[in-house]
Amino acid sequence: MPGCFKRTVFALIAVLSFSSFILILVAMSTQKWMTAKILCKTGAELVNATDPELVKFMGEIYYGLFGGGKMRKCGLGGRRSRFTIFPHLVKKLNTSLHVVIILFLFVAFSFALVSLGFCILNFLKVPYRAIKGPGGIALWNVLAGVSALLAVTSFMAAVELHNLTERIANFRENVFQFVVLEEQYQNSFWLCVASATVHGVNLLLVPISLIHFPTLKTKTEEANVTAEDIMY
């Protein structure tokens, strides 16, 4: 049975691993990874709109990994619509990169659960194999943290390098063309960043669990020394 200090550290790592799993699950299930302001370029050019009039052509868009919504303004008021990434829109995006983002997140929350299981094991007993001990916990947290970080980096690459927002905004637009004026990462994206940070904190806690504190003998234990103990 591990000591009280070690059990406390393993319990803390377990809680953090479970929170990381929840963070990724919430991030994947919500549709607020990115919001943006979009301009109906075609409509604005048709009427030669000036700066004050451009407001009539400015809409909004938000999306996540599996869907989102759009407020479309082309001079005749706003029109709301919703869309899903799969199965049609994903073909207009960088399909392989989008799938890789989702796979990285699946891997991240899977290893977060594995880390949770190993923490519970170390909380209950001292494992006889090193891979099941603190070394194993560190390994699973490295894999989970790196996977979450790669998912975040891949999403940023899709937005910045592959014009993800603009491609989504112009999906099934045959007449009007939309351009992105402003983009902003939203809560779901930052939840994944927080998940990667949590595993970084866990990696700092694992070495702390290896600290051994000296045990002090009580006076009762010292008084119970027998003659046989003195001989040895």
Side-chain angles (χ1 to χ4, degrees), residues 25-223:
L25 204 61
V26 171
M28 293 183 70
S29 61
T30 53
Q31 298 177 352
K32 284 294 181 75
W33 280 64
M34 175 70 72
T35 59
K37 292 182 179 179
I38 54 176
L39 174 68
C40 182
K41 182 180 178 182
T42 308
E45 289 177 347
L46 282 174
V47 299
N48 197 21
T50 58
D51 287 346
E53 296 172 333
L54 286 178
V55 178
K56 298 178 181 179
F57 299 91
M58 289 183 185
E60 296 177 349
I61 189 171
Y62 66 90
Y63 60 90
L65 298 179
F66 300 99
K70 180 168 69 171
M71 167 66 83
R72 184 174 179 273
K73 289 185 179 181
C74 291
L76 299 174
R79 178 184 171 188
R80 293 187 179 275
S81 61
R82 296 180 65 85
F83 55 85
T84 56
I85 302 294
F86 296 93
H88 302 296
L89 176 53
V90 71
K91 297 176 183 177
K92 301 294 182 181
L93 312 179
N94 189 323
T95 307
S96 58
L97 183 59
H98 196 81
V99 172
V100 162
I101 295 170
I102 296 172
L103 288 177
F104 276 139
L105 290 176
F106 271 114
V107 171
F109 79 66
S110 298
F111 281 125
L113 284 180
V114 174
S115 173
L116 171 63
F118 273 59
C119 288
I120 294 173
L121 174 65
N122 281 265
F123 180 86
L124 297 175
K125 66 178 183 179
V126 178
Y128 63 91
R129 289 185 179 180
I131 191 62
K132 294 183 178 180
I137 295 174
L139 174 63
W140 308 129
N141 277 279
V142 167
L143 294 174
V146 169
S147 297
L149 194 59
L150 287 174
V152 167
T153 306
S154 299
F155 183 78
M156 292 177 66
V159 172
E160 305 295 338
L161 303 179
H162 296 276
N163 303 317
L164 179 62
T165 305
E166 190 168 316
R167 292 190 185 195
I168 294 176
N170 286 288
F171 178 62
R172 288 181 175 171
E173 293 289 347
N174 300 320
V175 178
F176 297 101
Q177 180 184 2
F178 291 87
V179 294
V180 178
L181 300 178
E182 180 184 332
E183 293 175 307
Q184 188 172 4
Y185 294 100
Q186 291 299 318
N187 295 338
S188 299
F189 172 83
W190 295 114
L191 288 178
C192 290
V193 176
S195 172
T197 305
V198 164
H199 291 291
V201 173
N202 279 350
L203 287 175
L204 297 177
L205 291 174
V206 170
I208 295 177
S209 70
L210 300 175
I211 298 176
H212 294 282
F213 292 98
T215 55
L216 299 177
K217 291 185 177 181
T218 62
K219 292 183 178 180
T220 307
E221 290 174 336
E222 291 176 354

